[in-house]
Amino acid sequence: MTDDKIAVALRGITKRFPGVIANDSVDLELREGEIHTLLGENGAGKSTLMNVLTGIYRPDAGSISVFGRTVQLKTPKDAIDLGIGMVHQSFKLVPTHTVTENIVLGLGRGFSRVKLDEAQARVATLSKQYGVKVDPNALVWQLSIGEQQRVEILKILFRGAKILLLDEPTAVLTPQESEELFHTLRSMREQGHSIVFISHKLDEVMTISDRITVLRGGKNVGTVLVQDTNPQDLSHLMVGREIKFATFPKKESRGEQVLEVEGVDALNTRGLPALKGVTFSVAAGEILGLAGVAGNGQQELAQVITGLQRPTAGTVRVQGADMRGKRARHFIDAGVSYVPADRHGVATVGDMSLSHNSVLRRYREPKFGKGPLLNFNAAIGYARRLIKEFNISTPGHATPVRSLSGGNLQKVILAREMTTRHHLLVVMSATRGLDVGATEFVRKTLNDHRHQGGSIVLISEDLEELLSLSDRIAVIFHGEIMGIVDAETARIESLGLMMAGQRLSEVA
Amino acid sequence: MRLELRLERSRKLEYLVPVVSVLLSLVVCAVLLLSTGANPLAAYSAMLKEAFGTSYGITEVLVKATPLILCGLGVMLAFKMLFWNIGAEGQLHMGAWGATAVVMTGWDGSPWLMIPAMMLGGFAAGALWALIPAYLKVKLNTNEIITTLLLNYVAILWVAHFIYGPWKDPVSFGFPMTMQFPEGAQLLRLAGTRVHLGFVFALVIAVALYFIQEKSRWGFEIAVTGGNPNAAEYAGMNAGRNILLVMLISGGLAGLAGMVEVSGIQLKLLKDISPHAAPYGYTAIIIAWLARRNPWGVVLVSILMGGLYVGGETVQITMKLPVNIVLIIQALILFFVLGGDILSRYRLVFDRPGQRPKKAALSGG
Ligand SMILES: Nc1ncnc2c1ncn2[C@@H]1O[C@H](COP(=O)(O)OP(=O)(O)OP(=O)(O)O)[C@@H](O)[C@H]1O
Ligand SMILES: [Mg+2]
């Protein structure tokens, strides 16, 4: 502990939850002025370790020292006082307040108008100093997810954090936004901040990190310098075996049209037009990718084709049947599966068990009961199957899904929706938050599904994923389809231009 | 001092909170009793002995528990779906009225026909009363806490109108009550006691609700809706229909409580079908909250609450203590349970002196 270059030293940290050891005597040293990546499969214990370091969880064993001093972190406030700040995956901002107000909120020092002006000036300085682009006067609801994340970063900088913990920040960012974030992180490093970064994307881990620590099953299995390693070694460390990266051959013949969308208009939650004259179709045995910057109508489109929202004009046909006036339940019965983007808020019930959640959209099927009765044993059997097939790490089927790790929760939703006998699968951000192994598995399953004649609408901001899986790619901008291109011949640059609002005719 | 969201919620606390709340409320009430010069230990032991120490006491406890179980089950079902029905008191009054209406037709027949007809009348009247706020919620998204509460006052006045007016017994010497019900309209009693068939109904319904909740598809829908309304919509559940159905049952059960009270205990419709100091319909809210959404819990807590009623009446008579002691203990229990629930979800954080924030912040972890 004489080394004054160590910002944080975790020694022998153990954290147990009912049925799992999330952290198993983990040692970790974060040096001053380094970007240190935590890598590990879903459920390896990354978030837990960070929550221990921010005083949210109390470890069962182990010690923490910050800048050479052994400390007891009893509450998040203790961590903040020591200069430790964390950006969680879901943000805790008040949408109707401005950026500055959100930043000072909770500081609890009774900010008056005058002081608010001061704060605003400081926010502006900070945002210039670290290259965090955000308007201090903007209202939070007007901001994109990426911008909201910047507010969270500013918030912890404002509190004087010297140690920043970022839990999968790039999972919700576009590649450009990720680049900007890395720029900010590097500038923080230059100014002496120490950063823990969590990500499942090995290429970005290789570009941004100084050192990398791999967790497996709650244990630290190695810390390496970035120049001494490569993605293959890292995945080997993480999973303990090779991961094969497959390419996905497209299907030669396509069948009948499964989904036909014609001239669909829809409103967003604020009552403003979100979709304008959207027309496209998806055939059996086809994956249609939908590319676009988040917030350009993808959410509304997904809701319209799954029956959760009624279009204000136009028609939606599933397997030739007009779905006008039909509810979500009829879409489910017609064989439409849906993986929404919001896994906590929409796709699961946090306090219910994994087995209950696994039949969330299927409890009406004869397989899961008779008449008015639900057969919970059948649900448990089904949940067990999902846990095995999708390699979900959980103490058991009775665990409330609230306590699953981010990636494992995503697996539960994907497993449920993908194992349903469906005709059409609508997936938003399918592999968000999944580790490399799970990502490959999900991609392969989607591909298999296509080859068995299923149809998929794949909504994503990840162009590489879209290009590798889709047969065709539609680009959406401001609620309009800019064009639909063949994935084989599509060029990334023209897709990028279309995502920025140019029509296919202008690009080609 | 601030509150912080606990990420690790404990199952133990869930059940510990109601128990500790009851104990704490007894302690606080003891202090109140001391300040009036009474001996709280003597009072409590007298209450306990009276309620659970004699066979007469026990039967009286069951008498009180009967309407409490019925109302409590109804409230519990609505709470489970996060529909805040605090209108059980009004629904109970309407149920009493609906059952009486069957008798007031002048029909004097066999109990095999009259009792089911009265049950149907009571259930239907309570259900209709509960459907008003449910419908308003579904159609206009009105706040059900306000509508159910206000309808309580309307229902009480509605009953008063009939017993002061058209249904008043001409030979009651001016008392606002109906004539005594004919024998065919009276619920069977256990010989020598006031325990009536209504208690059996209540137990049967508790079993039925348990099966609905734990074993049925519809019970699953209610649980999902209560757990995450967005997920319910995503799962294709019809929220509007479920609100109407749940309130139909919730109000119907409170209505049935009204029916068994007039047909099993009062044998006529009169003003105080529900004790003035601590009305059944409001006590049911505390019961549903203490019982943790569990029908067996409702039965158990209702019996304990019944004991509180019986014991309270006793100390009023023998120790000249105000019967309001029942209300005070109940209110304290509710207060502690609600407080305890907040503490099991959030944890209290004491800031070190010198950097104490001026405003209390409810910050998420
Ligand atoms: N609050 C909790 N209650 C119970 N178990 C928990 C809780 N939080 C985490 N766990 C368990 O601890 C283990 C580690 O979870 P953690 O969230 O740290 O994983 P992770 O490495 O962040 O995974 P991911 O990449 O999926 O986000 C998992 O098995 C998880 O189920
Ligand atoms: Mg995590």
Side-chain angles (χ1 to χ4, degrees):
Chain A
M1 278 221 230
T2 45
D3 193 349
D4 59 359
K5 285 240 150 100
I6 303 292
V8 176
L10 301 176
R11 295 195 206 291
I13 296 292
T14 298
K15 178 69 195 171
R16 290 187 199 90
F17 291 113
V20 273
I21 303 186
N23 292 146
D24 191 351
S25 58
V26 175
D27 291 337
L28 183 82
E29 277 184 353
L30 174 65
R31 293 185 186 148
E32 254 181 83
E34 77 164 339
I35 298 179
H36 194 132
T37 294
L38 264 190
L39 211 54
E41 287 188 286
N42 295 129
K46 306 177 294 293
S47 301
T48 305
L49 193 62
M50 291 303 101
N51 284 332
V52 165
L53 187 48
T54 43
I56 290 172
Y57 293 151
R58 284 172 218 193
D60 299 312
S63 69
I64 303 172
S65 65
V66 179
F67 297 119
R69 207 160 54 88
T70 305
V71 294
Q72 293 277 333
L73 299 171
K74 295 218 181 67
T75 74
K77 177 110 197 332
D78 294 344
I80 292 170
D81 291 345
L82 286 164
I84 303 172
M86 177 153 171
V87 177
H88 293 265
Q89 259 208 269
S90 48
F91 311 134
K92 299 173 177 86
L93 302 171
V94 186
T96 50
H97 282 28
T98 68
V99 168
T100 307
E101 283 166 350
N102 266 285
I103 288 172
V104 299
L105 209 72
L107 280 180
R109 303 223 183 91
F111 271 85
S112 62
R113 265 287 135 205
V114 190
K115 285 212 184 133
L116 210 54
D117 289 344
E118 267 171 41
Q120 197 150 315
R122 232 188 104 205
V123 170
T125 324
L126 282 173
S127 91
K128 211 175 282 132
Q129 188 180 347
Y130 297 99
V132 190
K133 279 184 246 152
V134 62
D135 172 6
N137 286 314
L139 294 170
V140 163
W141 63 262
Q142 298 169 321
L143 303 181
S144 72
I145 296 284
E147 289 169 317
Q148 291 185 27
Q149 189 178 73
R150 289 179 214 152
V151 179
E152 290 282 0
I153 293 176
L154 281 175
K155 193 157 132 188
I156 55 181
L157 287 173
F158 191 93
R159 281 153 212 222
K162 299 292 287 174
I163 297 157
L164 287 94
L165 317 176
L166 299 129
D167 195 352
E168 298 190 37
T170 56
V172 293
L173 300 183
T174 61
Q176 293 91 313
E177 285 175 321
S178 295
E179 269 316 309
E180 285 172 38
L181 173 70
F182 293 156
H183 190 77
T184 302
L185 294 186
R186 291 195 180 104
S187 118
M188 286 179 190
R189 174 173 61 188
E190 246 104 81
Q191 300 179 46
H193 293 282
S194 317
I195 295 160
V196 180
F197 174 76
I198 298 178
S199 171
H200 291 294
K201 300 178 187 164
L202 290 177
D203 45 343
E204 62 181 35
V205 167
M206 292 302 294
T207 62
I208 188 72
S209 323
D210 296 312
R211 291 198 299 159
I212 299 161
T213 291
V214 179
L215 292 185
R216 191 191 328 156
K219 289 198 177 76
N220 180 344
V221 292
T223 300
V224 289
L225 287 168
V226 72
Q227 53 267 32
D228 297 343
T229 189
N230 59 52
Q232 286 72 36
D233 289 353
L234 287 176
S235 33
H236 200 273
L237 261 182
M238 259 193 299
V239 215
R241 62 181 160 81
E242 292 305 324
I243 294 169
K244 286 193 238 40
F245 293 95
T247 50
F248 303 111
K250 318 276 138 112
K251 198 168 149 77
E252 288 307 317
S253 60
R254 289 179 207 154
E256 292 175 3
Q257 299 299 341
V258 171
L259 173 71
E260 292 159 278
V261 177
E262 241 175 74
V264 160
D265 291 355
L267 304 177
N268 64 18
T269 44
R270 278 179 243 126
L272 303 170
L275 294 177
K276 291 168 234 156
V278 170
T279 301
F280 66 89
S281 61
V282 191
E286 182 184 31
I287 298 182
L288 178 84
L290 184 73
V293 177
N296 272 286
Q298 291 96 323
Q299 178 70 34
E300 289 79 4
L301 183 59
Q303 303 221 109
V304 164
I305 60 180
T306 54
L308 286 163
Q309 181 180 344
R310 299 233 167 123
T312 48
T315 54
V316 174
R317 275 192 292 276
V318 175
Q319 296 217 299
D322 191 342
M323 300 302 280
R324 194 181 319 232
K326 294 287 201 298
R327 314 165 139 276
R329 157 174 196 165
H330 302 116
F331 280 74
I332 297 173
D333 293 346
V336 178
S337 283
Y338 177 32
V339 178
D342 187 351
R343 43 203 196 200
H344 292 281
V346 174
T348 53
V349 186
D351 286 330
M352 287 183 125
S353 70
L354 202 163
S355 52
H356 282 79
N357 273 283
S358 69
V359 293
L360 184 61
R361 268 162 69 92
R362 309 192 55 186
Y363 69 100
R364 286 182 229 96
E365 290 176 22
K367 185 174 161 190
F368 293 110
K370 235 197 230 147
L373 295 183
L374 191 59
N375 180 350
F376 283 104
N377 287 331
I380 290 170
Y382 176 59
R384 287 212 174 103
R385 193 187 122 199
L386 297 185
I387 292 170
K388 198 146 151 255
E389 268 177 32
F390 281 74
N391 195 15
I392 299 168
S393 102
T394 167
H397 64 80
T399 305
V401 295
R402 178 166 40 78
S403 61
L404 294 184
S405 80
N408 282 299
L409 185 65
Q410 176 76 347
K411 285 192 202 172
V412 170
I413 302 161
L414 283 163
R416 175 184 73 210
E417 297 304 309
M418 287 166 69
T419 50
T420 314
R421 265 207 45 212
H422 51 251
H423 303 293
L424 173 69
L425 175 60
V426 179
V427 198
M428 291 189 82
S429 312
T431 56
R432 170 183 297 174
L434 294 188
D435 62 40
V436 262
T439 300
E440 276 312 291
F441 176 74
V442 166
R443 289 185 179 164
K444 186 178 161 303
T445 314
L446 290 171
N447 185 53
D448 290 349
H449 185 61
R450 157 176 50 201
H451 284 279
Q452 287 153 15
S455 314
I456 300 170
V457 177
L458 194 62
I459 304 175
S460 175
E461 292 181 67
D462 183 345
L463 280 182
E464 272 166 42
E465 179 163 287
L466 288 179
L467 282 166
S468 84
L469 277 170
S470 316
D471 296 284
R472 292 183 300 147
I473 297 178
V475 182
I476 192 167
F477 175 77
H478 282 189
E480 286 182 71
I481 301 287
M482 293 289 110
I484 303 180
V485 294
D486 207 311
E488 297 269 335
T489 56
R491 289 178 306 130
I492 289 220
E493 306 82 69
S494 32
L495 287 175
L497 288 173
M498 285 160 75
M499 282 166 73
Q502 297 202 22
R503 291 185 186 278
L504 181 57
S505 51
E506 299 163 337
V507 180
Chain B
M1 203 170 81
R2 291 170 303 129
L3 290 174
E4 266 175 10
L5 193 70
R6 281 180 203 252
L7 281 189
E8 305 170 76
R9 246 182 267 167
S10 99
R11 231 154 229 280
K12 256 185 281 163
L13 269 182
E14 172 113 346
Y15 294 96
L16 209 61
V17 165
V19 176
V20 172
S21 309
V22 171
L23 294 177
L24 275 179
S25 62
L26 290 178
V27 171
V28 174
C29 191
V31 174
L32 287 178
L33 287 175
L34 269 178
S35 72
T36 66
N39 178 350
L41 281 183
Y44 288 162
S45 70
M47 284 170 81
L48 199 64
K49 212 155 80 208
E50 194 58 37
F52 297 105
T54 67
S55 60
Y56 170 77
I58 291 174
T59 62
E60 276 305 293
V61 168
L62 298 185
V63 165
K64 300 286 183 209
T66 302
L68 290 176
I69 295 173
L70 287 167
C71 290
L73 289 172
V75 172
M76 172 203 76
L77 190 67
F79 279 10
K80 195 152 165 108
M81 220 175 115
L82 303 189
F83 189 97
W84 304 113
N85 175 21
I86 53 173
E89 183 67 7
Q91 291 143 21
L92 177 143
H93 274 80
M94 290 313 286
W97 177 86
T100 308
V102 173
V103 182
M104 287 301 140
T105 56
W107 177 26
D108 183 6
S110 130
W112 291 104
L113 290 175
M114 276 200 91
I115 294 296
M118 287 168 72
M119 286 169 73
L120 194 69
F123 188 94
L128 277 175
W129 206 243
L131 281 174
I132 299 170
Y135 184 81
L136 290 174
K137 171 83 172 189
V138 173
K139 284 290 158 199
L140 304 171
N141 197 24
T142 51
N143 182 333
E144 74 273 14
I145 299 184
I146 296 176
T147 48
T148 52
L149 178 68
L150 291 182
L151 282 171
N152 285 346
Y153 301 105
V154 182
I156 291 165
L157 289 172
W158 175 262
V159 166
H161 166 75
F162 279 85
I163 54 181
Y164 280 101
W167 289 356
K168 187 165 160 189
D169 185 1
V171 294
S172 71
F173 307 103
F175 286 110
M177 53 171 67
T178 64
M179 56 151 203
Q180 172 133 355
F181 290 178
E183 226 155 274
Q186 298 182 9
L187 275 177
L188 196 67
R189 283 186 181 175
L190 190 69
T193 75
R194 298 207 300 157
V195 181
H196 53 79
L197 213 49
F199 184 67
V200 179
F201 298 160
L203 292 185
V204 170
I205 288 165
V207 175
L209 275 188
Y210 170 79
F211 275 97
I212 289 179
Q213 242 176 248
E214 301 299 321
K215 306 280 175 205
S216 79
R217 289 186 159 123
W218 189 56
F220 182 67
E221 291 193 5
I222 293 172
V224 169
T225 311
N228 179 355
N230 294 327
E233 197 190 332
Y234 163 67
M237 298 168 184
N238 187 337
R241 195 196 66 160
N242 282 342
I243 288 180
L244 293 174
L245 275 175
V246 158
M247 281 305 280
L248 180 117
I249 296 180
S250 182
L253 291 181
L256 204 56
M259 178 269 166
V260 300
E261 272 304 286
V262 290
S263 160
I265 298 297
Q266 315 290 0
L267 310 183
K268 54 172 89 72
L269 184 64
L270 72 181
K271 235 178 101 202
D272 289 323
I273 31 180
S274 181
H276 206 72
Y280 292 139
Y282 292 116
T283 305
I285 297 168
I286 303 172
I287 292 172
W289 202 269
L290 276 173
R292 310 275 122 168
R293 287 174 258 145
N294 178 337
W296 309 134
V298 169
V299 173
L300 181 75
V301 178
S302 296
I303 291 175
L304 293 177
M305 283 289 180
L308 191 59
Y309 277 93
V310 174
E313 281 169 14
T314 311
V315 292
Q316 179 187 24
I317 297 162
T318 59
M319 303 180 71
K320 302 278 179 292
L321 288 172
V323 73
N324 279 345
I325 178 177
V326 175
L327 189 63
I328 291 170
I329 293 179
Q330 279 189 0
L332 285 169
I333 291 175
L334 186 63
F335 176 81
F336 284 120
V337 175
L338 293 177
D341 279 344
I342 290 177
L343 288 187
S344 64
R345 215 143 342 129
Y346 298 87
R347 66 177 171 215
L348 218 49
V349 175
F350 295 92
D351 292 295
R352 271 146 294 176
Q355 48 182 351
R356 167 166 297 173
K358 288 203 185 87
K359 268 186 271 171
L362 212 67
S363 68

